[in-house]
Amino acid sequence: MRHIILLLIIQCFASNIDVQISYIDAPLINIHWCSDTVLALTSKGSVYRSDDRGRQWTKMSEIFHRKALIQLEDSDERVGIVNNLVPSPVDKSLVLFTGTDQIAWISLDCGKTITAVNAGKQLREYQFHPLEKDWIIASAWKQCGSDELLAGTPCVSYKELLLSQDTGITWHQIATYVNQFTWGVKNKEMAKYTPKERILASFEPQGKGHQSISSWNMDYNLYYSDDFFQTRTLSVPAGSRFMLTESFLFVAKVTSQVTQEVSLYVSGTELGQYKYSIIDADSKLLEHSYSILDTSENQVFMVVNHLKPSSPLGVIYISDSTGTRYSRSLENVSRLENSAEFYRVQGLEGIYLANVYAEDQAKIYTNQVFESMEEGFYAQQNGFKDEDLKKYKQTRITFDKGGQWVPLKPPTVDADGKPINCNKCQLHLHLSQAFYQFAPIYTQTNSIGIIVATGSIGKYLSYRQDQVHTYLSRDGGLTWIEIKKGSYIYEISNHGGLIVMAKDQETTNQIVYSWNGGMEWTPFNILDQRAEIQNIITEPQNKGTRFIAYGAIQLESNGIRTEQGLLATIDLDELHQRNCIGQEKAGEIGSDYELWTPSGLVNPECLFGKKVTYMRKRREAACYNPEQLERIISVTPCQCSQEDYECDLGFVMNNQQCIPINGTLNIDPPADCDGYYTVSSGYRKIAGDICEGGVEHISMRFSCPNNKNWIYDWLVIGGILFGLYWVYNNQEKVKEYFARTEMREIPQSKQEMLIQQIQQRQPKQQQQQQQQQQYQPIDLEQNEQQDQKFDEDLIEKDDDIQIEDETAHELI
């Protein structure tokens, strides 16, 4: 009887949900919010517009076609259809509608009025200026015209760079044989020291004939111009591709066109000047491509492909604060075509996730690649193929910005509250949609600490529908909860207080929502028949209660079934969820709010060298957050721990210690040594970390050979090396010796100081290792019978799948 009453209550509440259903001509491929006005683009090139936040939609195809005919003087040959929406970063109501032919369209008021633009050719790669509303650059391919063909003149094809300074009404060519281009400023701060007219472009200065489209071309040079290429400055010869961020300019310089090898150069962007340094990295292997993964926290994550050009394996490197010195962070990373399976948790510093391939299988694959290179450059390798690696994917997480990567701790019970009987298991997540259609990992800056993802528990990441479930973390990935059986697509709103989901691996007519972090779910039927839900979104600020679910549905008319697009606008405001109370008494009894501090693996309640206390809604409090919510309560520095350091250049993490990559410490003085030089202890503090005191890793300072103290210092260096070797191999003897001897009575020579530091650090490291045991990689037993059959049937990657993520990685 109690369950019946509860069901009636749920149905009563659910009946107050306002749902508006609209059928459109095809599934959506893009959507853009301009405050209350929303624009949507379908796969058939139709634009729909809503003036009431998605409740009602108007199809605008006839308007677009009519405007195009006016420009073409009623010739219907080159109209085309809309293939993308490009909003301006200066004004979100300014939208460019790109076309499949020579017509494009511009709207200054989010689609209320439309202007057709005839550039005489199909424009691509549009880029609005970050500050000047009317400035746009774009590219177009010069094709063979009918006049050239009739005249019998030679026909060549190349890419042009074009400029408009009147919001796309008129265009003129500023460069030819172009490979890549961008505006030279990113924001107002950069414009203080860089001319706003600056454009960077790589192109062939003496281009002739058909333009080559090979991946790495030595004929391209990187130039910049401050007057729209009336004049130009050579920046990097053979600079084929580049990437500009707010702090750095990265340039890939081709060193061999035959082997497709490149070297990466980097420059700061301060003062508008570029002074390049070749990156100083641990590895001297072949480097076929670089992808910059993240530059958001004064440091650079980069994935490098050291194997053959199409290798699925990569190595993640992490830079120092200058962006020039890189050390290895993570091996055997799963590479994508233009990035990697890598994700930064929004709203929290230093937390990242990545998918890797199991070490044993990656080693087999790597050895086979090298063997095939010996037989003939990138000869067809037999045995372990690229697609075989997909069966052995695993997830890793770091809480110290790449210093240590560990497996995810799986939940102890499933979504039904039943124990998960798996003694040797890890949780693995789908970080990207690039391989299969499972929903990717998702976080928001407005929902601190909350992560939602699909994945599986076991030895490797599964792609079987019956093994993939939906998971949630409320502490930035430290612990995980299974919130729903099966794979769902999801959206988070109301500062993390409201989650709406729908099944995405099967048709459904239902959504589920939760006001208490997945502890309880309320189902609600939004349709009379089942449909495919592709995504659920909410308004850009992610604070309200209105959602749009879109996808595809099969509709029957006159006995004929056709696929149409679906737009379902869902408003939960009518549920009148009670308002949360007790902000001023967060953490106390009677308050709906708690005080939460993110934690790393080693130092409790400290992350990235500081203790940050946030106020957020308790998970069990089923209430509505106000739109304005003060989040950060306090910030205080922490005592430094091992988690605040990463391995320095030339060192690699091994058993929680940074050791020389080649097994020996490089103590040679630099060629330009003057006075003194330093020898790294193997560690460097993570850029941006503000910890104080505690664990220290101090570099040793020595005189250069031309200094009068050089003989003494070289003796000290020899003693240090011998001391390090002896301490490492006689740790128990060292402990016993110092237990009998008062350390403070020993003369403090440089060698003895270093040995003392190692001795004092050793118990702390052992204690840290004990604290981290639950996160260490586990040598799992293989349970293969049912999975093996599925693994053999793994489908290949769908090259047409695009990741719609505003933080998508860029390929250099």
Side-chain angles (χ1 to χ4, degrees):
M1 183 65 179
R2 181 180 178 183
H3 294 291
I4 295 175
I5 294 174
L6 179 61
L7 179 60
L8 290 174
I9 292 174
I10 289 175
Q11 289 176 340
C12 179
F13 275 118
S15 64
N16 292 328
I17 297 177
D18 181 15
V19 179
Q20 297 291 327
I21 302 297
S22 300
Y23 299 115
I24 54 180
D25 62 6
L28 287 191
I29 60 173
N30 202 346
I31 192 166
H32 172 63
W33 293 79
C34 315
S35 187
D36 289 341
T37 301
V38 190
L39 295 172
L41 175 65
T42 74
S43 59
K44 288 186 176 181
S46 299
V47 176
Y48 290 79
R49 184 172 184 268
S50 171
D51 286 322
D52 54 7
R53 298 162 64 199
R55 290 178 58 84
Q56 296 179 339
W57 297 86
T58 301
K59 188 175 182 178
M60 303 181 65
S61 298
E62 290 186 8
I63 299 174
F64 278 79
H65 191 76
R66 186 169 64 251
K67 294 287 186 179
L69 289 178
I70 294 173
Q71 278 290 328
L72 293 171
E73 298 178 351
D74 293 329
S75 173
D76 201 20
E77 297 179 359
R78 307 297 299 275
V79 173
I81 60 174
V82 178
N83 62 4
N84 198 14
L85 308 178
V86 184
S88 165
V90 180
D91 180 1
K92 60 184 177 182
S93 293
L94 170 57
V95 181
L96 174 68
F97 303 85
T98 66
T100 57
D101 218 304
Q102 66 187 48
I103 293 294
W105 297 264
I106 290 282
S107 177
L108 303 179
D109 49 18
C110 203
K112 187 176 181 179
T113 57
I114 300 292
T115 301
V117 178
N118 183 9
K121 60 192 73 177
Q122 183 184 2
L123 300 186
R124 310 168 186 264
E125 301 178 289
Y126 289 87
Q127 293 184 30
F128 279 102
H129 194 279
L131 303 175
E132 292 293 330
K133 178 179 177 179
D134 297 332
W135 294 4
I136 312 173
I137 51 177
S139 68
W141 277 90
K142 167 69 171 61
Q143 304 290 352
C144 298
S146 57
D147 294 339
E148 293 173 306
L149 295 175
L150 290 173
T153 56
C155 174
V156 294
S157 178
Y158 54 84
K159 187 163 78 170
E160 306 168 285
L161 176 59
L162 297 104
L163 168 71
S164 173
Q165 292 180 274
D166 54 9
T167 324
I169 303 301
T170 60
W171 296 84
H172 64 274
Q173 182 194 94
I174 58 175
T176 58
Y177 289 87
V178 174
N179 183 38
Q180 189 186 1
F181 57 89
T182 190
W183 292 105
V185 296
K186 290 290 185 180
N187 50 37
K188 292 182 180 179
E189 187 63 28
M190 290 183 70
K192 292 178 180 179
Y193 46 81
T194 301
K196 64 181 180 181
E197 295 85 1
R198 178 165 297 182
I199 297 174
L200 293 133
S202 59
F203 58 87
E204 296 182 53
Q206 307 296 329
K208 295 180 180 180
H210 290 296
Q211 182 174 347
S212 171
I213 56 174
S214 61
S215 298
W216 300 114
N217 189 340
M218 295 189 73
D219 293 331
Y220 293 129
N221 297 332
L222 175 62
Y223 297 89
Y224 69 87
S225 172
D226 295 335
D227 54 11
F228 304 129
F229 281 99
Q230 296 181 41
T231 61
R232 68 194 187 201
T233 301
L234 176 63
S235 192
V236 178
S240 181
R241 295 190 65 81
F242 64 92
M243 177 182 174
L244 179 68
T245 71
E246 294 180 6
S247 303
F248 303 106
L249 173 59
F250 301 93
V251 184
K253 179 183 174 77
V254 183
T255 57
S256 172
Q257 187 130 355
V258 176
T259 61
Q260 290 287 280
E261 295 171 58
V262 291
S263 294
L264 186 64
Y265 288 75
V266 62
S267 169
T269 59
E270 61 275 5
L271 303 180
Q273 302 296 319
Y274 306 129
K275 297 180 180 180
Y276 296 98
S277 300
I278 189 169
I279 65 165
D280 195 0
D282 296 328
S283 178
K284 302 301 181 185
L285 300 175
L286 297 180
E287 296 164 343
H288 297 285
S289 66
Y290 303 85
S291 295
I292 304 301
L293 302 176
D294 183 69
T295 61
S296 61
E297 297 174 6
N298 301 316
Q299 220 170 354
V300 181
F301 272 107
M302 172 178 66
V303 63
V304 180
N305 170 21
H306 289 303
L307 297 176
K308 60 181 182 177
S310 61
S311 169
L313 281 178
V315 178
I316 287 181
Y317 288 80
I318 181 73
S319 79
D320 60 5
S321 59
T322 69
T324 59
R325 291 168 55 86
Y326 289 77
S327 56
R328 290 194 175 214
S329 178
L330 185 63
E331 307 273 350
N332 305 324
V333 177
S334 172
R335 287 185 62 246
L336 303 177
E337 184 177 356
N338 63 345
S339 60
E341 289 197 69
F342 176 90
Y343 186 82
R344 177 171 66 94
V345 174
Q346 302 294 314
L348 292 174
E349 290 184 288
I351 303 181
Y352 296 79
L353 295 98
N355 277 345
V356 300
Y357 294 110
E359 183 177 359
D360 290 344
Q361 284 73 24
K363 190 175 297 183
I364 294 172
Y365 175 86
T366 301
N367 290 337
Q368 288 187 173
V369 170
F370 286 134
E371 289 173 4
S372 67
M373 290 172 62
E374 293 176 359
E375 296 173 3
F377 201 77
Y378 304 129
Q380 179 65 40
Q381 62 193 78
N382 298 317
F384 212 77
K385 306 294 184 182
D386 290 8
E387 57 269 22
D388 293 331
L389 282 175
K390 296 177 184 178
K391 309 172 188 178
Y392 306 104
K393 196 174 293 183
Q394 301 172 325
T395 300
R396 298 289 182 262
I397 189 170
T398 176
F399 295 92
D400 56 0
K401 205 169 186 182
Q404 299 178 52
W405 294 85
V406 295
L408 297 182
K409 183 180 179 181
T412 57
V413 297
D414 67 8
D416 299 325
K418 299 177 181 178
I420 297 177
N421 297 318
C422 190
N423 294 326
K424 298 181 179 181
C425 291
Q426 299 167 0
L427 176 63
H428 308 286
L429 302 178
H430 293 278
L431 303 184
S432 164
Q433 281 186 308
F435 294 98
Y436 297 87
Q437 287 297 320
F438 293 107
I441 188 171
Y442 185 54
T443 60
Q444 293 177 355
T445 55
N446 283 335
S447 306
I448 297 295
I450 296 177
I451 309 175
V452 187
T454 57
S456 62
I457 295 174
K459 188 171 183 178
Y460 308 116
L461 178 63
S462 176
Y463 293 96
R464 291 181 48 163
Q465 291 187 22
D466 62 334
Q467 294 182 351
V468 174
H469 305 298
T470 306
Y471 299 89
L472 178 140
S473 174
R474 284 179 48 83
D475 52 17
L478 196 64
T479 60
W480 292 85
I481 308 160
E482 185 179 288
I483 55 174
K484 267 293 183 181
K485 290 289 186 184
S487 173
Y488 283 73
I489 188 70
Y490 25 74
E491 179 60 289
I492 309 171
S493 189
N494 194 226
H495 301 286
L498 177 59
I499 304 174
V500 175
M501 307 198 306
K503 292 182 178 180
D504 67 343
Q505 294 300 303
E506 59 183 86
T507 58
T508 182
N509 64 342
Q510 186 180 87
I511 64 162
V512 295
Y513 62 91
S514 175
W515 288 98
N516 53 16
M519 295 177 68
E520 297 171 319
W521 293 97
T522 302
F524 178 70
N525 293 343
I526 60 173
L527 294 164
D528 294 330
Q529 68 179 79
R530 302 174 75 87
E532 177 187 346
I533 304 298
Q534 297 172 343
N535 200 4
I536 302 175
I537 62 173
T538 188
E539 295 161 315
Q541 298 301 316
N542 299 95
K543 295 179 180 179
T545 58
R546 181 169 292 192
F547 300 81
I548 295 178
Y550 61 85
I553 189 170
Q554 295 288 331
L555 296 178
E556 185 172 333
S557 177
N558 298 325
I560 301 175
R561 295 183 65 84
T562 59
E563 182 182 77
Q564 289 190 273
L566 168 71
L567 284 166
T569 303
I570 307 159
D571 193 345
L572 303 181
D573 189 54
E574 294 301 317
L575 292 177
H576 298 295
Q577 196 74 15
R578 74 172 180 87
N579 291 328
C580 299
I581 60 173
Q583 288 192 39
E584 68 285 354
K585 297 181 179 180
E588 298 181 13
I589 297 175
S591 173
D592 289 320
Y593 294 92
E594 64 181 0
L595 299 177
W596 175 69
T597 300
S599 296
L601 293 176
V602 177
N603 203 348
E605 296 192 335
C606 283
L607 193 65
F608 223 49
K610 55 182 173 287
K611 178 180 178 179
V612 183
T613 301
Y614 297 91
M615 180 182 69
R616 65 177 187 177
K617 186 172 74 71
R618 298 180 188 271
R619 186 187 183 200
E620 62 275 10
C623 57
Y624 177 79
N625 274 313
E627 289 197 7
Q628 301 300 323
L629 184 65
E630 184 67 32
R631 308 292 298 189
I632 299 179
I633 304 302
S634 64
V635 180
T636 56
C638 293
Q639 191 176 61
C640 294
S641 70
Q642 199 68 20
E643 200 171 34
D644 299 297
Y645 292 86
E646 62 191 2
C647 292
D648 204 350
L649 177 68
F651 295 80
V652 66
M653 184 69 70
N654 184 12
N655 292 328
Q656 311 304 318
Q657 292 185 340
C658 294
I659 63 172
I661 288 180
N662 298 322
T664 58
L665 184 65
N666 181 13
I667 59 173
D668 296 332
D672 57 349
C673 190
D674 184 18
Y676 294 89
Y677 69 100
T678 59
V679 176
S680 173
S681 63
Y683 299 84
R684 66 186 180 201
K685 186 180 286 189
I686 299 170
D689 192 297
I690 65 168
C691 71
E692 301 174 350
V695 174
E696 292 184 338
H697 293 286
I698 302 174
S699 298
M700 301 300 292
R701 184 170 178 263
F702 300 104
S703 299
C704 294
N706 58 357
N707 190 297
K708 63 181 181 180
N709 294 323
W710 71 270
I711 296 178
Y712 171 76
D713 284 339
W714 276 96
L715 290 174
V716 171
I717 292 174
I720 289 173
L721 294 177
F722 175 78
L724 287 170
Y725 177 81
W726 189 88
V727 169
Y728 182 78
N729 289 279
N730 298 272
Q731 296 180 36
E732 295 302 322
K733 292 182 179 179
V734 172
K735 293 178 184 178
E736 182 180 353
Y737 172 75
F738 283 112
R740 299 193 309 264
T741 307
E742 289 293 332
M743 191 67 179
R744 61 178 178 269
E745 297 177 359
I746 301 177
Q748 297 295 296
S749 69
K750 293 181 181 179
Q751 177 180 348
E752 292 166 276
M753 286 173 60
L754 187 58
I755 294 176
Q756 181 180 359
Q757 292 171 6
I758 294 172
Q759 173 66 17
Q760 292 173 339
R761 188 183 308 141
Q762 191 66 31
K764 296 181 182 179
Q765 292 173 343
Q766 290 175 348
Q767 182 180 4
Q768 292 165 3
Q769 290 174 3
Q770 292 172 0
Q771 293 174 347
Q772 297 169 4
Q773 282 180 357
Q774 58 182 335
Y775 292 97
Q776 299 307 310
I778 305 169
D779 186 14
L780 304 179
E781 298 175 357
Q782 196 153 353
N783 180 10
E784 302 289 359
Q785 296 181 355
Q786 189 178 14
D787 293 344
Q788 186 65 35
K789 182 179 184 302
F790 173 77
D791 289 339
E792 293 171 355
D793 298 330
L794 282 171
I795 35 182
E796 292 293 319
K797 170 185 176 182
D798 183 0
D799 292 330
D800 294 328
I801 296 174
Q802 300 294 324
I803 306 172
E804 296 185 6
D805 183 355
E806 63 182 8
T807 59
H809 315 302
E810 297 184 51
L811 173 70
I812 286 188

